[in-house]
Amino acid sequence: MSVKALKGFKDIVPGEVETWQFIEQTARDIFRRFDFAEIKVPILEKTKLFIRSIGETTDIVEKEMYTFADRNGSSLTMRPEGTAPVLRAYIENGLHAKKAVQKLYTIGPMFRHERPQKGRLRQFHQMSVEVLGSDLPRVDAEIMAMAWLILKELGLTASLEINSLGCKKCRPGFNAALLDFLNQTEDLCDDCLRRRETNPLRVLDCKSANCQKQYENAPSILDHLCDGCQDHFKAVEEGLEVLAVPYKVNSFMVRGLDYYTRTTFELVTDAIGAQSAIGAGGRYDGLVKQLGGPDVPGIGFAMGIERLVLLLDQQEDRPKPVPDLFVVALGESAQKKGFAITHAARQAGLTVTMDHQDRSLKNQMKQAGRAAASFALIIGEDELANGQAVLRNMDNREQTDVAIVDDVKAWAGEIVSKIG
Ligand code: ATP
Ligand code: MG
């Protein structure tokens, strides 16, 4: 019996991977234009990093983390999200001292033990950014504009929903009002009854239609913001207007992590069924300090790559990479020449492939056709005897001779110039 991959863990094979590369390249290019630097952080961290940042009573910490004891007995967790590890690295490497405002991005796998379904995996991938060191509302607008531009340059559209969760000054007042409301609401699901006691804000996230219907009458956090948070939120909206980024205010969006303060946002679409959030983020002023670092504000977002792939796959097929040249060689000495010119042409910048099964000339030409190579370089016994290889344009079937010379670099140069 062959060993299969774990449930919720997926291979990304050739034919699919091109879409992934397109997404990553598009995003990396935009990160560069916005002057963000890449940071790579480990996949394994101490469990307490996530408990302290994401929060003890969140879904992620309560039931989704891949947590286990390593051989020394210490509790480790496969990162469920990127913000906590990046902040740990920011603090540990003293990045705050190197630049007053750090703009960082990272791309990689995350792990959550959820029920696998379309757009929901146990190993999934995120592109995420963090801006540390500024609480200006302009920064909030800037990163939302960046997320929006990524979607735009991928050829996708989604709607941007924004909210403010207030700060430690005004949130308690809202929590009290919400609790009041919840205590007068009769028909809550078990999850919400539990959350009412542990983390009332979280009820607004409930997926039950019955609960959601009742929450239509719940108090709005936007009515409870202190002056500072109100001004900040207003300025974020103004920033989005300056950049002409369309958005919608959704006062019920609360996000599933405890560390958020003030601005939160989500990019949502109705094109991939139930898994509607393609990206989300928010401000987390106070989190760096809480993790033992300096008192600097921060904001970030993460986009789920699988969901972007689902959206892009609904569009036309991505062009697959094809070789520039297929080297067709028959007989031992011709193959030696072919092997050498293959390597030289690769060094000259061409994508080159060659038969690795010692098949007939006819079969090799077939392989070149199947690979959709632009040109074939044919070296049979006759060609070798004449000292002239045949360069065949696979589209229009035109052929020219290229002299076989001992200097493979010069030979490759000749081929490059003929291929254009
Ligand atoms: P959801 O409401 O769909 O569970 P979330 O609020 O848990 O999303 P975040 O923690 O904010 O998601 O992560 C940011 C993005 O990562 C999401 O918008 C989504 O695109 C993606 N994502 C989250 N969990 C998964 C998963 N299990 N599989 C695939 N993508 C995911
Ligand atoms: Mg989730």
Side-chain angles (χ1 to χ4, degrees):
M1 269 252 283
S2 62
V3 180
K4 297 271 167 47
L6 296 171
K7 192 173 147 194
F9 289 65
K10 231 179 121 309
D11 305 307
I12 301 145
V13 298
E16 301 172 338
V17 84
E18 292 76 15
T19 310
W20 287 72
Q21 292 171 336
F22 170 60
I23 292 168
E24 259 196 57
Q25 279 156 14
T26 304
R28 279 179 192 282
D29 190 57
I30 290 173
F31 294 147
R32 177 186 56 77
R33 281 183 264 157
F34 278 73
D35 194 27
F36 277 64
E38 184 171 10
I39 182 167
K40 291 175 185 284
V41 291
I43 281 165
L44 265 188
E45 296 277 357
K46 290 180 182 159
T47 302
K48 63 179 173 227
L49 174 68
F50 299 110
I51 295 180
R52 268 209 238 156
S53 53
I54 297 169
E56 203 126 25
T57 56
T58 53
D59 280 356
I60 295 180
V61 171
E62 274 181 345
K63 49 192 189 202
E64 295 175 358
M65 293 203 307
Y66 277 89
T67 296
F68 56 90
D70 80 350
R71 288 174 190 277
N72 307 323
S74 22
S75 180
L76 305 182
T77 294
M78 316 257 295
R79 60 183 194 194
E81 58 103 48
T83 299
V86 169
L87 265 51
R88 182 205 43 70
Y90 169 83
I91 297 166
E92 200 165 329
N93 294 281
L95 298 186
H96 54 280
K98 298 191 174 134
K99 224 174 176 186
V101 178
Q102 282 282 2
K103 304 197 290 182
L104 305 168
Y105 80 89
T106 193
I107 302 178
M110 303 295 160
F111 303 85
R112 296 185 197 175
H113 197 280
E114 304 193 75
R115 195 168 66 80
Q117 49 197 296
K118 187 177 167 197
R120 191 172 294 285
L121 286 114
R122 290 182 170 173
Q123 174 175 331
F124 63 101
H125 298 76
Q126 286 184 340
M127 312 187 283
S128 58
V129 309
E130 319 292 342
V131 180
L132 300 159
S134 172
D135 62 3
L136 287 188
R138 189 198 301 153
V139 174
D140 307 35
E142 186 179 33
I143 70 161
M144 286 188 241
M146 184 164 76
W148 182 80
L149 191 62
I150 291 174
L151 294 179
K152 185 169 169 224
E153 293 198 3
L154 289 173
L156 300 173
T157 43
S159 52
L160 172 64
E161 299 191 355
I162 70 169
N163 192 22
S164 174
L165 295 185
C167 63
K168 58 175 184 283
K169 255 193 349 221
C170 48
R171 180 97 57 87
F174 172 71
N175 268 336
L178 182 62
L179 204 54
D180 235 25
F181 167 83
L182 292 174
N183 284 331
Q184 290 163 34
T185 309
E186 306 259 287
D187 194 16
L188 297 178
C189 73
D190 288 348
D191 265 351
C192 283
L193 283 174
R194 189 170 46 80
R195 290 187 188 120
R196 182 175 70 185
E197 309 309 322
T198 56
N199 201 344
L201 200 63
R202 194 94 308 120
V203 301
L204 298 176
D205 233 1
C206 182
K207 301 274 191 295
S208 139
N210 184 46
C211 290
Q212 275 308 332
K213 187 148 178 36
Q214 305 191 74
Y215 298 152
E216 279 169 18
N217 303 313
S220 159
I221 183 135
L222 295 178
D223 296 332
H224 287 80
L225 297 182
C226 63
D227 289 348
C229 287
Q230 239 171 50
D231 292 347
H232 194 273
F233 192 56
K234 226 186 157 84
V236 172
E237 291 195 66
E238 279 166 18
L240 289 171
E241 273 145 33
V242 167
L243 302 183
V245 175
Y247 70 93
K248 206 164 68 191
V249 174
N250 172 3
S251 66
F252 289 105
M253 187 227 306
V254 292
R255 310 286 311 116
L257 304 94
D258 276 356
Y259 53 60
Y260 286 120
T261 56
R262 292 191 162 171
T263 315
T264 53
F265 60 98
E266 270 184 5
L267 289 151
V268 292
T269 164
D270 49 19
I272 42 173
Q275 271 41 267
S276 59
I278 49 185
R283 192 162 265 296
Y284 44 75
D285 302 342
L287 182 58
V288 176
K289 183 161 181 233
Q290 190 188 312
L291 291 175
D295 192 5
V296 296
I299 182 168
F301 73 77
M303 273 188 177
I305 302 185
E306 278 77 4
R307 294 185 193 176
L308 295 173
V309 170
L310 281 175
L311 286 165
L312 285 171
D313 283 351
Q314 295 175 353
Q315 305 182 344
E316 84 270 36
D317 282 346
R318 217 73 7 236
K320 296 188 178 48
V322 295
D324 300 309
L325 187 67
F326 197 108
V327 174
V328 173
L330 198 71
E332 207 175 311
S333 357
Q335 280 174 346
K336 237 181 225 161
K337 289 279 180 208
F339 195 38
I341 191 60
T342 295
H343 191 55
R346 285 171 177 161
Q347 291 179 85
L350 298 182
T351 302
V352 190
T353 195
M354 177 180 179
D355 159 74
H356 278 327
Q357 294 170 299
D358 279 343
R359 306 296 290 267
S360 69
L361 206 78
K362 202 169 143 213
N363 181 285
Q364 290 185 46
M365 285 307 293
K366 253 198 206 145
Q367 289 183 51
R370 243 181 282 134
S374 309
F375 286 83
L377 183 75
I378 303 157
I379 318 171
E381 272 159 24
D382 292 349
E383 285 78 13
L384 205 58
N386 301 337
Q388 298 283 338
V390 173
L391 185 66
R392 179 183 171 93
N393 182 321
M394 298 294 283
D395 288 332
N396 61 18
R397 297 167 190 193
E398 269 173 28
Q399 303 198 152
T400 42
D401 287 345
V402 190
I404 301 171
V405 292
D406 286 338
D407 179 352
V408 283
K409 200 171 163 193
W411 187 9
E414 186 62 22
I415 293 169
V416 169
S417 74
K418 289 219 152 98
I419 284 180

